[in-house]
Amino acid sequence: MNQRTYLDHNATAPLRAEVRDGVVAALSLVGNPSSVHAEGRAARAAIEEARAKVAALVGARAQDVIFTSGGTEANAMALAAPFEDSGQQTYVSAIEHPSVLAGALNRPKTTTIIPVTQDGVADLDALAAMLAPDRQEATRPFVSLMAANNETGAIQPIGEAARIVHEAGGILHSDAVQIAGRVRLDMGSFGADMVSLSAHKIGGPKGVGALVLAEGAEIAPLMIGGGQEGRRRPGTENVAAIVGFGVAAELAMAELSRMDRVARLRDELEMGVLALDADAFVFSRNAPRLPNTSCVVIPGLKAETVVIALDLAGIAVSAGSACSSGKVETSHVAAAMGVAPEIAQGAIRVSLGFVSTNNDIQTFLGAFGELAGRLTKDARKAA
Ligand code: PLP
């Protein structure tokens, strides 16, 4: 196969070679980590080493890391806490990942959606008004606000949200799947009571993640019947995947101080796209954003067509949010930001990683520019 240009790190980052080695070695660990014999203890030690590394990535205590099957399960676990019949109210932002939105909207009577600004940042005045003390029952409101959006990269004001939520006696969960390993995060000062992580966004294996609690926070298990993960997530642990997560976390942490290189590549990409067409624009351009994520549009283009054409040219990007099934639907994030559907349908998400190069950006710009010229001419002719 010809050389590919992979610019879809927010969907999945390529597995790191060191992670592969760690996973392969861990697959040979014989014991069950709950067994007391030497084989069991060796598997347990491998898990605890990984736990310490994942904890370090987000400045948490190792005992507060609960390994799960991924970001989706971590979100489900956090969201499962409020029960509709308890009267506890749930508030989630309009731009959450479907694993949060769907969980919350499953309880429509007790769920309220927090709107976002045109820049795709949660409207905290609206949240404060929703949490006004006279509206609250005796139960603690549960709020879920992602740390950074997977489509636009917009970073959310978690510190301020935490102040508002805690003043109202509530609990704040933050889906940190996209921010971890890209921006330094420290549970001690971050403000959220719990965060969700996923290994495959940072070069770890797919199918492993974690819910990380702030010191003193607690969570009920989703499943029952086993003592693993401090009785918070029963079932024999996926030892090899957890080991891989630990290796990825350690490497991602070491790269954090050099993420400005990735941000410069992103800026170069955006300047290149904006130069292609006078009407081109970048989502959430005025908001603080992840260093690796660009969601760009040239009006008149259809994302579906662009993604397929770029794929044929050897370049992997996504159409808006396509990380669940590959199907292209108008993005709920763009809709929440008030972007017209005919514009939103052209949104392309380009997400870089530490391995991305200047050459990748030039390859993308060359192919996208050629395509945009051809397709917009066709679209304008047809109009
Ligand atoms: N949350 C966000 C913001 C994501 O981007 C994703 C990935 O698609 C998830 C959660 C789900 O994570 P996982 O694929 O590990 O279930």
Side-chain angles (χ1 to χ4, degrees), residues 69-127:
S69 65
T72 298
E73 186 190 325
N75 284 342
M77 204 165 157
L79 262 285
F83 294 104
E84 195 157 37
D85 54 7
S86 74
Q88 186 172 14
Q89 300 291 317
T90 301
Y91 302 85
V92 299
S93 89
I95 56 166
E96 294 301 313
H97 186 266
S99 55
V100 168
L101 265 184
L105 290 173
N106 221 6
R107 303 186 287 264
K109 280 190 281 178
T110 52
T111 294
T112 309
I113 301 293
I114 309 161
V116 298
T117 64
Q118 286 193 99
D119 280 321
V121 176
D123 180 345
L124 294 189
D125 290 340
L127 175 64

Side-chain angles (χ1 to χ4, degrees), residues 328-352:
V328 180
E329 286 173 354
T330 307
S331 146
H332 70 283
V333 176
M337 291 165 67
V339 179
E342 59 278 16
I343 304 281
Q345 68 173 3
I348 302 293
R349 180 186 68 184
V350 186
S351 49
L352 316 178

Side-chain angles (χ1 to χ4, degrees), residues 10 70-72 75 97 99 146 148 150 175 177-178 198 200-201 323:
N10 285 13
T72 298
N75 284 342
H97 186 266
S99 55
M146 68 200 324
N150 44 306
D175 176 343
V177 162
Q178 295 291 352
S198 173
H200 71 107
K201 311 293 182 179
C323 50

Side-chain angles (χ1 to χ4, degrees), residues 2-191:
N2 289 336
Q3 173 109 28
R4 300 268 307 170
T5 301
Y6 187 78
L7 298 173
D8 202 11
H9 289 244
N10 285 13
T12 286
L15 194 80
R16 297 167 188 266
E18 298 89 334
V19 170
R20 187 184 306 113
D21 293 348
V23 169
V24 169
L27 283 169
S28 299
L29 288 168
V30 173
N32 183 317
S34 298
S35 299
V36 293
H37 45 58
E39 288 83 352
R41 291 198 310 276
R44 166 66 46 212
I47 290 180
E48 296 315 320
E49 190 181 330
R51 196 186 309 281
K53 290 174 180 170
V54 171
L57 178 65
V58 294
R61 303 185 309 173
Q63 67 263 40
D64 292 324
V65 173
I66 307 165
F67 286 118
T68 65
S69 65
T72 298
E73 186 190 325
N75 284 342
M77 204 165 157
L79 262 285
F83 294 104
E84 195 157 37
D85 54 7
S86 74
Q88 186 172 14
Q89 300 291 317
T90 301
Y91 302 85
V92 299
S93 89
I95 56 166
E96 294 301 313
H97 186 266
S99 55
V100 168
L101 265 184
L105 290 173
N106 221 6
R107 303 186 287 264
K109 280 190 281 178
T110 52
T111 294
T112 309
I113 301 293
I114 309 161
V116 298
T117 64
Q118 286 193 99
D119 280 321
V121 176
D123 180 345
L124 294 189
D125 290 340
L127 175 64
M130 288 169 184
L131 295 182
D134 59 348
R135 271 211 51 201
Q136 295 306 311
E137 313 289 322
T139 53
R140 307 177 73 186
F142 180 89
V143 179
S144 186
L145 175 60
M146 68 200 324
N149 183 260
N150 44 306
E151 294 184 34
T152 63
I155 294 177
Q156 304 299 313
I158 297 298
E160 179 60 6
R163 194 189 57 73
I164 293 168
V165 172
H166 292 150
E167 249 173 48
I171 301 163
L172 178 64
H173 162 252
S174 185
D175 176 343
V177 162
Q178 295 291 352
I179 208 168
R182 295 182 180 141
V183 172
R184 203 172 291 281
L185 193 159
D186 181 70
M187 281 303 280
S189 53
F190 190 53

